[in-house]
Amino acid sequence: MTDKPKLTIRLCGPRGFCAGVDRAIQIVVLALKKYGAPVYVRHEIVHNRYVVEGLQARGAIFVEELDEIPIEHRDQPVVFSAHGVPKSVPEDADAKNLFYLDATCPLVSKVHKQAMRHQRLGRHVILIGHSGHPEVIGTMGQLPEGTVSLIETVADAEAYQPEDPENLGFVTQTTLSVDDTAGIIAKLQERFPQLTAPAAESICYATTNRQEAVKEAAPGCDLFLIVGAPNSSNSKRLVEVAERSGARHSLLVQRAEEIDWDNLGELSVLGISAGASAPEIIVDEIIDAFSQRFDVTIDLAITTVETENFLVNRQIRDVELTAQDMAFVNGNH
Ligand code: 2E4
Ligand code: SF4
């Protein structure tokens, strides 16, 4: 007999690493193997401190801009993060004679292409997204200044005054709230019936699936923990989805040590999911921390199974990963 209080953990699936994150981390690990340290990475490869520190320990150096790469290291590779970069970044890398590997998620690149297609067909581009986020900076930076307008909210969609309302096309950031975005698009379509949608959905499969799983699991949860970082757009959206879908309270947590055990309130059902950049090893760490204090039963809340897999850049496909490398790349080490 245990005297610990009973706790049911509803563990969402899919959760954690998506195919784009897996690929981006693999690119840095493969580059380190093939070219040796240091490998520079422009911006956090994905928004997760554990991943960044793990790569630093292997010899990666993170910078925000290419200018930070010392001249004597300009023969070492630089990797662009999964969030994508404005066109000016590869141009600048070429001008500096740098060798770069682009780890932009293929689904972000797809949005870039859709934005360029709108523009080629004479449409002013509306980008729905969050100001200042690196993916938004990257997508806006595919097009000349003044040819993209950023819309963040329904209020922005209401106030927007385009020069040519008949010639508009939209794309979105890949990690937005599915429901909020639908509201913004509905408002834009109501005001501009000619507005052209992208040929394919911009919010990606991983964002959609993680939100759907949280939505299903949230009703009746006393607390919903989302493993993820405060600068991770997709993780923050999961916190909102949990609260809106019926969890009494939801929190973003980066590591088990952050949990404020004395202030969790009455707990009998706990939801757990993880953003696309959060490694599974941290989910395990958090479940272990609860198991030390509660008599835990795990209830899997799985809405779909993902099989997506993205190939890494041609130049590094010949490098082999050890089992330990693979465990790190998959978030299990
Ligand atoms: C690229 C695109 O965009 P977000 O802040 O959610 O990035 P994060 O690094 O947390 O997640 C991976 C990722 C990267 C998601 N979409
Ligand atoms: Fe790509 Fe979607 Fe993952 Fe972002 S969340 S890296 S767009 S698969």
Side-chain angles (χ1 to χ4, degrees):
M1 264 299 280
T2 165
D3 51 4
K4 293 188 223 169
K6 284 193 181 306
L7 177 69
T8 300
I9 295 185
R10 284 192 197 150
L11 184 58
C12 288
R15 64 174 177 278
F17 281 9
C18 59
V21 164
D22 199 283
R23 172 180 182 269
I25 298 171
Q26 240 186 92
I27 291 171
V28 183
V29 172
L30 291 169
L32 281 161
K33 293 223 133 174
K34 181 152 179 171
Y35 307 105
V39 164
Y40 284 85
V41 185
R42 185 188 177 280
H43 190 70
E44 288 188 343
I45 187 73
V46 298
H47 293 145
N48 187 274
R49 202 192 306 158
Y50 183 92
V51 171
V52 166
E53 286 173 0
L55 292 171
Q56 280 169 335
R58 289 163 180 256
I61 298 178
F62 288 83
V63 294
E64 281 307 312
E65 293 302 339
L66 301 181
D67 289 339
E68 294 166 46
I69 303 173
I71 294 183
E72 64 274 18
H73 278 172
R74 283 201 182 163
D75 49 351
Q76 287 301 107
V78 54
V79 179
F80 303 152
S81 84
H83 315 93
V85 289
K87 275 209 169 120
S88 57
V89 172
E91 284 167 8
D92 186 26
D94 284 335
K96 291 185 161 69
N97 243 326
L98 291 166
F99 167 49
Y100 63 84
L101 291 162
D102 190 354
T104 303
C105 175
L107 300 183
V108 173
S109 302
K110 197 173 85 182
V111 174
H112 291 178
K113 289 188 191 110
Q114 295 283 340
M116 288 189 274
R117 181 164 185 275
H118 281 316
Q119 207 224 356
R120 203 169 53 244
L121 296 173
R123 300 173 193 139
H124 180 86
V125 177
I126 294 175
L127 169 62
I128 304 171
H130 298 291
S131 175
H133 188 281
E135 184 181 325
V136 163
I137 294 169
T139 302
M140 294 189 88
Q142 301 306 305
L143 301 172
E145 245 189 274
T147 65
V148 194
S149 302
L150 182 66
I151 298 280
E152 295 193 73
T153 58
V154 173
D156 288 350
E158 262 163 8
Y160 180 52
Q161 296 296 344
E163 262 174 41
D164 183 1
E166 318 264 285
N167 261 314
L168 294 171
F170 78 86
V171 290
T172 83
Q173 198 176 335
T174 57
T175 52
L176 299 182
S177 151
V178 171
D179 294 339
D180 287 352
T181 308
I184 295 172
I185 294 171
K187 174 52 72 185
L188 288 169
Q189 279 170 337
E190 175 196 313
R191 293 193 57 216
F192 313 112
Q194 321 266 53
L195 175 68
T196 310
E201 175 63 70
S202 302
I203 298 180
C204 78
Y205 82 93
T207 298
T208 309
N209 291 345
R210 280 154 191 67
Q211 287 179 19
E212 193 53 43
V214 168
K215 220 184 230 186
E216 288 273 310
C221 284
D222 302 305
L223 174 67
F224 215 113
L225 293 182
I226 304 295
V227 185
N231 58 341
S232 168
S233 165
N234 80 89
S235 307
K236 286 192 289 190
R237 301 295 80 81
L238 294 178
V239 173
E240 296 165 359
V241 169
E243 274 185 354
R244 285 184 200 166
S245 309
R248 208 178 59 211
H249 188 42
S250 179
L251 288 171
L252 198 61
V253 48
Q254 302 196 74
R255 297 296 298 257
E257 68 199 16
E258 283 177 13
I259 298 171
D260 182 3
W261 297 101
D262 297 332
N263 287 303
L264 290 183
E266 207 35 47
L267 257 194
S268 70
V269 183
L270 169 71
I272 297 186
S273 185
S277 44
E280 185 65 9
I281 194 168
I282 303 181
V283 174
D284 293 342
E285 173 188 282
I286 288 170
I287 293 175
D288 284 349
F290 275 93
S291 301
Q292 283 164 25
R293 295 160 174 89
F294 293 87
D295 176 14
V296 166
T297 306
I298 307 258
D299 225 351
L300 292 179
I302 296 176
T303 46
T304 188
V305 174
E306 294 176 342
T307 54
E308 283 76 2
N309 181 38
F310 301 141
L311 278 182
V312 299
N313 320 54
R314 216 173 353 92
Q315 301 96 317
I316 48 175
R317 278 188 206 154
D318 57 339
V319 188
E320 298 229 1
L321 293 180
T322 62
Q324 206 192 2
D325 294 332
M326 281 309 290
F328 178 71
V329 163
N330 293 326
N332 293 316
H333 183 72

